[in-house]
Amino acid sequence: MSAAPQAVEAWLADLTRALRRENVDGWHCEQVVAEAGRHLSDGGEDPVAAFGTPQEYARIVAADLAVDDGEPPSPAAPRLVVTGVRKSYGRGARRRPVLDGVDLVVAAGEVAAVVGPNGAGKSTLLRICAGLESPDAGSVVVTGALGYCPQQPALVDLLRAEEHFDLVGAGRGMDTAQARRAGGDLAAQLAWIPDRQPVGELSGGTRQKLNVVLAALGDPGLLLLDEPYQGFDGEAFLDFWERVWHWRDAGAAVVVVTHRPEQLKRVDIVLDLGGPR
Ligand SMILES: Nc1ncnc2c1ncn2[C@@H]1O[C@H](COP(=O)(O)OP(=O)(O)OP(=O)(O)O)[C@@H](O)[C@H]1O
């Protein structure tokens, strides 16, 4: 008898947690879970019959990875490759270059900060990376799923938070129960318990938390976060950066637009877009 999809889903989620507990790095963790998922969906087997319990299988994987094969570790897979991106706005004499040949590579397990003064083109770059605008020249290659948190939350004021989870989760292949569970978990990590009020009635900081949760729903491999913590109080700001380090450790590539210098020493890449042109 083939396993119910929910049982497979739950087994894979437990495997992810067990691998992390065994200190398997995010990239390997993702590969192992994806491979197991493919095997289970092809064969329709019961996961415990095929692999054992998630904990047992995670221990086997961790032991295999611990065997030193003498090879240097392979470089992490790039999730975002931006090459020579140029963008101008306006026409004729009013034409203004905003991005002038921007390069950026962010791999799985890396955090890049995009910095620069107002008008330097940070949001423009993220919109181009998210595929919402085209560059005039250059290219952007994204590998895997991406989550984008725009500077201004794009919410439907009359809907509740959980209805936003439903909509965004559906776009990422999640059913309602999965989307609501994942959304609730992410919200709790930002110290927010969504209730049933329409999001138009939420405070600015809480709307911004929802904006972050929607970007991260379904664990996309690339997160593009445009000043996501505007309106957060001090504690929420720290919670947010804890999530960033967590996503990085889980193997995501994270790009954060920021005006705040205090986290820059902890990020892997700083892209400084310089002054307004
Ligand atoms: N759709 C548009 N049409 C015309 N000009 C635009 C458009 N979008 C952005 N710009 C201009 O491009 C420049 C860069 O804007 P952008 O929002 O990318 O900067 P930023 O670095 O994110 O700024 P901030 O720190 O204030 O958020 C600004 O001068 C802005 O006015």
Side-chain angles (χ1 to χ4, degrees):
M1 200 179 73
S2 67
Q6 296 90 330
V8 171
E9 199 75 47
W11 188 90
L12 291 171
D14 285 347
L15 176 62
T16 303
R17 282 190 283 274
L19 287 165
R20 288 181 190 158
R21 270 198 299 275
E22 294 288 340
N23 291 322
V24 172
D25 69 89
W27 187 82
H28 279 107
C29 184
E30 199 170 281
Q31 303 298 313
V32 168
V33 173
E35 183 55 39
R38 270 194 297 276
H39 178 93
L40 293 169
S41 68
D42 289 348
E45 267 177 280
D46 175 76
V48 178
F51 293 99
T53 67
Q55 294 73 20
E56 285 163 355
Y57 189 54
R59 274 196 292 277
I60 293 168
V61 170
D64 275 358
L65 289 172
V67 175
D68 183 2
D69 57 9
E71 296 288 325
S74 56
R79 291 281 166 81
L80 174 68
V81 180
V82 176
T83 312
V85 161
R86 294 176 190 278
K87 181 76 182 176
S88 299
Y89 290 112
R91 296 223 173 114
R94 297 173 65 99
R95 191 170 173 81
R96 254 174 45 77
V98 174
L99 300 172
D100 188 15
V102 173
D103 298 319
L104 175 67
V105 177
V106 191
E110 287 185 330
V111 176
V114 180
V115 301
N118 295 128
K122 304 179 294 296
S123 297
T124 302
L125 177 64
L126 256 67
R127 284 197 302 274
I128 289 173
C129 291
L132 299 174
E133 274 194 61
S134 304
D136 298 334
S139 66
V140 172
V141 177
V142 171
T143 304
L146 81 81
Y148 170 56
C149 177
Q151 194 170 23
Q152 299 304 328
L155 306 174
V156 184
D157 281 353
L158 291 176
L159 296 183
R160 302 190 299 267
E162 61 186 11
E163 292 170 321
H164 284 78
F165 302 156
D166 298 347
L167 286 172
V168 174
R172 297 188 183 160
M174 305 166 90
D175 64 30
T176 301
Q178 288 169 330
R180 291 189 180 193
R181 194 169 53 238
D185 287 351
L186 280 160
Q189 287 151 6
L190 295 171
W192 168 45
I193 309 294
D195 62 17
R196 298 181 60 78
Q197 69 191 131
V199 302
E201 295 175 9
L202 298 176
S203 72
T206 307
R207 287 168 67 81
Q208 199 63 32
K209 286 181 183 179
L210 176 55
N211 202 19
V212 172
V213 169
L214 296 178
L217 206 63
D219 295 326
L222 171 64
L223 276 161
L224 304 172
L225 308 173
D226 192 349
E227 289 194 70
Y229 43 73
Q230 291 183 73
F232 283 9
D233 59 29
E235 206 154 317
F237 180 77
L238 295 176
D239 287 341
F240 162 75
W241 279 101
E242 276 314 308
R243 294 324 302 157
V244 170
W245 310 130
H246 168 87
W247 288 322
R248 169 169 75 177
D249 294 345
V254 186
V255 180
V256 190
V257 171
T258 181
H259 285 288
R260 306 280 291 260
E262 62 270 33
Q263 302 292 340
L264 294 188
K265 56 185 179 304
R266 294 179 70 187
V267 305
D268 304 289
I269 298 160
V270 176
L271 173 65
D272 188 348
L273 292 179
R277 300 172 182 90

